[in-house]
């Protein structure tokens, strides 16, 4: 009986393997048909030539190892509960060892490329330290391995990912890049999501923001340091970077000042925050040229972590990656590179290891009570944080402005 069961199991596995192989073969055939019948008419309409289209897909391959795929005919991927860095351990995002290493390399490279960075700062108004910080965070100063052929990645995801429309647009944009002659397809390498080169631009961002700063006639963000650095600066300027302003300052917020005042829509002159008793953690005064300019409170972990007064430039950094922690990482790294800054003084406390589904439940409860949480998506953005702080204060609780497990039963 055992031998019979073993043989049956073996045969089942063999036939299952054949079925999967056949299914993949079917998908490959559908993919080839999709390229010609569906994608090509759209590419042609957008101005891509038949020659460029044919060359781009001559050797294209579906990459079955990419995440977030939903191949036709295969079972749909199951939704999984998510735990985000903002909800579990923000401190781990700010690895001191990593920040010190990036800062040391960043200072060295800022010196090596000082002349280029000076020209970039003059042309765009973005501090060299900020440009170098993003360069380091995105691609290890151009040293990180970027292994994937961009057309393979984008074609795979445009055809069979969970977000096909997004990647279809990026694929068309990639075809226009190849059409322009800025890069050969063999050199057009990117991440598993299609982000390209040293600045990690998606193709649509490349078309809008990449620049030829070394004057060779090509926008080369794969091999040219001047092009890569200037493209980062151009991106920030086009997103609204304000020349002459800092990104923000770590501060101490007195106990009597509510944490539920954060967000870009509640901006005040920096002098007003100072009048409330908010001071820089360093003990220095706020720069005089910043006092009359609009600035915002930022408490990314509520009262459980470092507190900040930030300028509109902070939100420009978020345009690069829509995360408070990312923008703070860039700001802190830039300070270390440019002015000898160090770690944040405030400590990241225990924020309860909240799951995204738990935060979503809290958001829905707040919305039902009439609060504006922004998008109810399980992400504790500033509107969720300040709404939670307002609700806590109105219900006799000390405002913490951050979701934690102790509030789950109370907020219903």
């Amino acid at each position: 009986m055992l031998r019979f069961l073993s043989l049956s199991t073996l045969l089942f596995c063999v036939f299952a393997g054949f079925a999967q192989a056949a299914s993949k073969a079917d998908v490959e055939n559908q993919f080839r048909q999709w390229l010609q019948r569906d994608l090509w008419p759209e590419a042609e309409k957008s101005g891509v030539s038949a020659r460029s289209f044919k060359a781009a897909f001559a050797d294209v391959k579906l990459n079955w190892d990419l995440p977030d795929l939903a191949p036709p005919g295969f079972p749909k991927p199951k939704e999984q509960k998510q735990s985000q860095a903002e909800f579990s351990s923000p401190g781990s995002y700010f690895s001191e060892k990593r920040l010190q290493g990036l800062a040391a390399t960043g200072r060295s490279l800022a010196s090596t490329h000082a002349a280029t960075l000076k020209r970039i700062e003059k042309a765009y108004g973005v501090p060299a330290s900020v440009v170098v910080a993003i360069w380091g965070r995105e691609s290890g100063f151009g040293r990180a391995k970027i292994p994937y052929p961009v057309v393979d990645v984008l074609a795979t995801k445009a055809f069979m990912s969970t977000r096909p429309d997004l990647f279809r647009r990026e694929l068309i944009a990639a075809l226009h890049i190849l059409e322009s002659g800025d890069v050969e397809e063999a050199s057009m390498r990117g991440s598993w999501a299609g982000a390209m080169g040293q600045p990690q631009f998606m193709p649509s961002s490349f078309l809008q923001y990449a620049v030829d700063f070394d004057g060779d006639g090509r926008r080369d963000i794969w091999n040219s340091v001047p092009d890569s650095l200037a493209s980062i600066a151009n991106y920030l300027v086009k997103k609204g970077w304000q020349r002459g302003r800092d990104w923000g300052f770590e501060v101490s917020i007195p106990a009597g000042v509510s944490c539920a005042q954060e967000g870009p829509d509640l901006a005040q002159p920096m002098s007003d925050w100072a009048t409330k008793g908010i001071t820089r953690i360093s003990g220095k005064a706020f720069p005089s040229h910043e006092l009359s300019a609009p600035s915002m409170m930022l408490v990314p972990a509520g009262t459980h972590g470092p507190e900040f007064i930030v300028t509109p430039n902070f939100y420009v950094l978020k345009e690069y990656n829509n995360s408070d922690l990312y923008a703070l990482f860039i700001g802190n790294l830039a300070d270390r590179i440019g002015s000898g800054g160090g770690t944040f003084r405030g400590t990241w406390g225990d924020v309860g290891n909240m799951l995204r589904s738990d935060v979503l439940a809290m958001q829905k409860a707040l919305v039902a009570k009439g609060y504006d949480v922004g998008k109810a998506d399980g992400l504790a953005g500033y509107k969720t944080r300040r709404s939670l702080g307002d609700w806590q204060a109105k219900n006799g609780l000390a405002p913490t402005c951050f979701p934690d497990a102790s509030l789950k039963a109370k907020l219903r």
Side-chain angles (χ1 to χ4, degrees):
M1 177 62 73
L2 288 174
R3 286 196 298 270
F4 174 76
L5 289 174
S6 298
L7 179 60
S8 299
T9 302
L10 176 62
L11 290 173
F12 173 81
C13 291
V14 169
F15 284 117
F18 284 148
Q20 186 181 37
S23 180
K24 281 191 175 183
D26 289 342
V27 172
E28 297 276 0
N29 288 333
Q30 291 179 49
F31 171 62
R32 293 294 170 182
Q33 294 174 11
W34 173 81
L35 288 174
Q36 294 302 320
R37 298 178 183 176
D38 197 344
L39 186 65
W40 163 239
E42 182 177 349
E44 183 182 32
K45 186 177 180 180
S46 74
V48 176
S49 68
R51 176 186 57 80
S52 293
F53 187 89
K54 183 178 180 180
F57 295 107
D59 299 313
V60 70
K61 299 179 181 64
L62 286 177
N63 187 336
W64 290 83
D65 296 325
L66 297 176
D68 303 323
L69 298 184
F74 278 61
K76 292 184 178 180
K78 295 181 179 179
E79 291 187 5
Q80 297 180 349
K81 289 185 177 180
Q82 299 181 45
S83 176
Q84 302 291 324
E86 288 84 351
F87 311 146
S88 52
S89 53
S92 64
Y93 196 92
F94 299 92
S95 164
E96 185 61 19
K97 181 178 180 181
R98 185 184 185 199
L99 277 162
Q100 287 182 3
L102 286 172
T105 304
R107 285 190 292 269
S108 175
L109 289 174
S111 177
T112 300
H113 300 288
T116 296
L117 287 165
K118 186 176 181 179
R119 289 175 54 222
I120 289 171
E121 190 163 346
K122 182 178 180 180
Y124 298 101
V126 181
S129 58
V130 172
V131 173
V132 173
I134 292 176
W135 186 32
R137 179 66 177 81
E138 291 299 319
S139 65
F141 310 103
R143 299 171 181 177
K145 293 183 178 179
I146 305 177
Y148 297 99
V150 168
V151 172
D152 283 8
V153 167
L154 296 177
T156 299
K157 286 184 166 284
F159 177 65
M160 60 177 192
S161 79
T162 55
R163 295 183 295 168
D165 292 341
L166 166 66
F167 290 103
R168 185 181 181 122
R169 290 192 296 270
E170 295 298 339
L171 179 57
I172 296 293
L175 294 176
H176 282 281
I177 295 171
L178 292 172
E179 184 93 36
S180 73
D182 282 309
V183 61
E184 298 291 333
E185 185 175 0
S187 300
M188 195 177 185
R189 314 292 285 188
S191 72
W192 61 263
M196 307 185 304
Q198 298 184 39
Q200 285 291 276
F201 279 178
M202 293 299 288
S204 59
S205 291
F206 179 99
L207 292 175
Q208 294 180 72
Y209 309 113
V211 296
D212 170 24
F213 203 72
D214 60 14
D216 69 352
R218 296 186 301 118
R219 298 170 292 177
D220 184 0
I221 63 171
W222 293 268
N223 303 297
S224 170
V225 170
D227 288 5
S228 297
L229 298 181
S231 295
I232 291 170
N234 187 47
Y235 179 96
L236 295 177
V237 168
K238 294 292 178 60
K239 292 295 185 179
W241 185 271
Q242 296 182 6
R243 184 187 290 261
R245 297 204 67 185
D246 209 315
W247 67 268
F249 309 92
E250 187 182 1
V251 299
S252 175
I253 300 176
V257 177
S258 173
C259 56
Q261 301 180 71
E262 71 167 319
D265 56 341
L266 295 181
Q268 299 180 30
M270 198 167 288
S271 58
D272 287 6
W273 296 116
T275 300
K276 296 176 188 292
I278 295 175
T279 58
R280 290 179 66 180
I281 204 87
S282 66
K284 298 178 181 178
F286 290 111
S288 58
H289 70 275
E290 293 277 11
L291 291 176
S292 62
S295 54
M296 306 83 167
M297 179 187 290
L298 175 76
V299 285
T303 59
H304 300 295
E307 302 161 332
F308 305 88
I309 296 297
V310 298
T311 77
N313 285 342
F314 173 84
Y315 295 96
V316 175
L317 294 178
K318 283 187 68 174
E319 291 286 338
Y320 218 101
N321 185 326
N322 190 24
S323 161
D324 287 336
L325 298 187
Y326 174 88
L328 285 172
F329 186 101
I330 296 301
N332 183 252
L333 180 55
D335 287 349
R336 292 173 188 243
I337 292 170
S339 57
T343 185
F344 293 135
R345 303 279 186 87
T347 57
W348 300 96
D350 179 12
V351 293
N353 297 311
M354 296 293 292
L355 293 176
R356 187 165 173 172
S357 54
D358 293 327
V359 178
L360 178 60
M362 289 187 181
Q363 289 174 321
K364 290 180 177 179
L366 286 168
V367 169
K369 296 177 186 297
Y371 288 94
D372 177 11
V373 300
K375 185 178 180 181
D377 55 4
L379 300 173
Y382 72 89
K383 287 187 176 181
T384 294
R385 296 193 295 260
R386 74 185 184 197
S387 292
L388 183 58
D390 283 340
W391 174 84
Q392 287 174 306
K394 290 176 181 177
N395 285 272
L397 301 172
T400 63
C401 299
F402 205 81
D404 64 68
S406 70
L407 299 173
K408 289 170 64 175
K410 298 174 184 176
L411 186 57
R412 288 181 177 175

